Amino acid sequence: MEHQYFVLKGCLRTYLIDSSGKEHTMQFAVENWWVSDYLAYYKGGESIFFVECLEDCELMRVRKEDLEGMFLSLSITETYFRLQLENAFAAFQKRILSSLNLTAKERYSQFIQIYPDIEQRVKNYQIASYLGITPESLSRLRKNRIASDES
Amino acid sequence: MEHQYFVLKGCLRTYLIDSSGKEHTMQFAVENWWVSDYLAYYKGGESIFFVECLEDCELMRVRKEDLEGMFLSLSITETYFRLQLENAFAAFQKRILSSLNLTAKERYSQFIQIYPDIEQRVKNYQIASYLGITPESLSRLRKNRIASDES
């Protein structure tokens, strides 16, 4: 995979389908987020993900080779991308930890913090497949959350 | 957290203890690996992890401020750390995906690939807490693996 994509407008998700036909969402991407299959992008090879536009999207596509050339000619761009990567890496560490030690309810709360306005833009089963729970479990979490907000 | 550590010799792990007293292993680190709490290191704040030396260790400690200074004065060092970070980021993506779509057996196989010689160096419950399974499940996986290797 040779490209990363920067979202100017719209909402996308990357996901894979396992051998039993089940979808697993790796990432949602909205305005000002980058999206790619980072294993394929950084290490070479084909992407294992499907990329789905959930709305009409405007994307900026950047080729790895061009980016590397830009890093060489203008070192401030390398610093910018390194800092972006540091943030993304810290976020991935957080997600790994949350899969190990948080309940589904806590993971859902964390998801809403990371993606505050996304619930109206994506389908329930897509959020559930990001959290690693069933759509029914997600519905229950939402009802409980609304009930506790109203009380 | 201001430092990253480079392992010259030995074996460490980072882990946290949840509210129920259960340990969750974030990372093992052996020779030539870096280890830190990357959320605390990159975004600032206190680390939530314990760092445990599982053997006598020799570490090189690098302070974030010194590293940033070196990036400014010698841009090749920034490139080196960016490439390291890209590899680590791709590995984190792989771990997130495996927690979503792999069975415990598949996650254990992947673990052995990532850490080929670590099984003699760390305790079973520590590996289990990295994989998010019980020590009993890990024992079963090992027995099945040995049985299938022998057949």
Side-chain angles (χ1 to χ4, degrees):
Chain A
M1 184 164 185
E2 288 184 349
H3 298 95
Q4 287 190 64
Y5 299 83
F6 182 79
V7 185
L8 297 166
K9 188 173 162 295
C11 179
L12 306 89
R13 75 169 177 135
T14 54
Y15 67 99
L16 62 74
I17 301 177
D18 70 20
S19 53
S20 71
K22 196 173 162 194
E23 290 184 10
H24 302 278
T25 297
M26 181 66 209
Q27 188 193 357
F28 294 102
V30 291
E31 287 78 10
N32 301 319
W33 285 57
W34 288 90
V35 63
S36 189
D37 175 344
Y38 295 102
L39 192 60
Y41 176 81
Y42 289 127
K43 310 281 280 185
E46 296 289 316
S47 173
I48 55 170
F49 294 124
F50 295 92
V51 180
E52 182 182 14
C53 291
L54 304 172
E55 301 171 356
D56 288 342
C57 290
E58 285 175 24
L59 305 174
M60 184 175 71
R61 188 173 78 165
V62 182
R63 198 160 63 136
K64 189 177 181 190
E65 199 178 299
D66 295 336
L67 210 52
E68 297 277 344
M70 193 167 72
F71 292 165
L72 280 176
S73 60
L74 192 62
S75 68
I76 186 75
T77 59
E78 182 164 27
T79 302
Y80 170 80
F81 274 87
R82 175 180 58 79
L83 292 172
Q84 290 272 347
L85 191 58
E86 289 180 359
N87 282 330
F89 186 62
F92 268 12
Q93 178 187 289
K94 199 170 176 176
R95 189 165 172 200
I96 290 169
L97 257 188
S98 72
S99 78
L100 286 172
N101 80 325
L102 296 189
T103 63
K105 184 181 172 187
E106 290 165 332
R107 293 207 301 282
Y108 176 55
S109 294
Q110 197 177 70
F111 175 80
I112 291 172
Q113 282 183 334
I114 298 171
Y115 295 104
D117 301 315
I118 213 168
E119 289 201 281
Q120 291 73 40
R121 302 174 76 172
V122 306
K123 296 195 172 71
N124 285 353
Y125 86 88
Q126 294 166 340
I127 296 177
S129 79
Y130 176 97
L131 296 171
I133 59 177
T134 63
E136 294 74 25
S137 299
L138 179 61
S139 294
R140 273 195 297 278
L141 290 176
R142 277 195 169 145
K143 275 182 201 153
N144 291 341
R145 191 179 179 86
I146 291 166
S148 71
D149 283 352
E150 285 174 350
S151 64
Chain B
M1 184 164 183
E2 287 182 350
H3 297 95
Q4 286 190 64
Y5 299 83
F6 182 79
V7 185
L8 296 166
K9 185 173 163 296
C11 179
L12 306 89
R13 75 167 177 136
T14 55
Y15 67 99
L16 63 74
I17 301 177
D18 69 20
S19 53
S20 71
K22 196 173 162 193
E23 289 184 11
H24 302 279
T25 297
M26 182 65 210
Q27 190 193 353
F28 293 102
V30 290
E31 286 78 11
N32 300 319
W33 285 57
W34 289 90
V35 63
S36 189
D37 175 344
Y38 295 102
L39 192 60
Y41 177 81
Y42 289 128
K43 308 282 277 187
E46 296 290 316
S47 172
I48 55 170
F49 294 124
F50 295 92
V51 180
E52 183 181 13
C53 290
L54 303 173
E55 301 170 357
D56 287 342
C57 290
E58 284 174 25
L59 305 175
M60 185 177 68
R61 188 173 78 165
V62 182
R63 198 160 63 136
K64 189 177 182 190
E65 198 179 299
D66 294 336
L67 210 53
E68 297 278 344
M70 192 168 72
F71 293 165
L72 280 176
S73 60
L74 193 62
S75 69
I76 188 74
T77 59
E78 182 164 28
T79 301
Y80 170 78
F81 275 87
R82 175 180 60 80
L83 293 172
Q84 290 272 350
L85 190 58
E86 287 179 359
N87 283 331
F89 186 62
F92 267 12
Q93 178 186 290
K94 199 169 177 176
R95 187 164 173 201
I96 290 170
L97 256 187
S98 72
S99 77
L100 286 172
N101 81 325
L102 295 189
T103 63
K105 184 182 172 186
E106 290 165 332
R107 292 206 302 282
Y108 176 56
S109 296
Q110 198 177 69
F111 174 81
I112 290 171
Q113 283 183 333
I114 298 171
Y115 296 103
D117 302 315
I118 212 167
E119 289 201 282
Q120 291 72 39
R121 303 175 73 173
V122 306
K123 295 195 173 71
N124 285 353
Y125 87 89
Q126 294 166 342
I127 297 176
S129 79
Y130 176 96
L131 295 171
I133 60 177
T134 63
E136 294 75 25
S137 300
L138 178 62
S139 293
R140 274 195 298 278
L141 289 175
R142 277 196 168 143
K143 276 182 202 153
N144 292 340
R145 192 179 179 87
I146 292 164
S148 71
D149 283 353
E150 286 174 349
S151 65

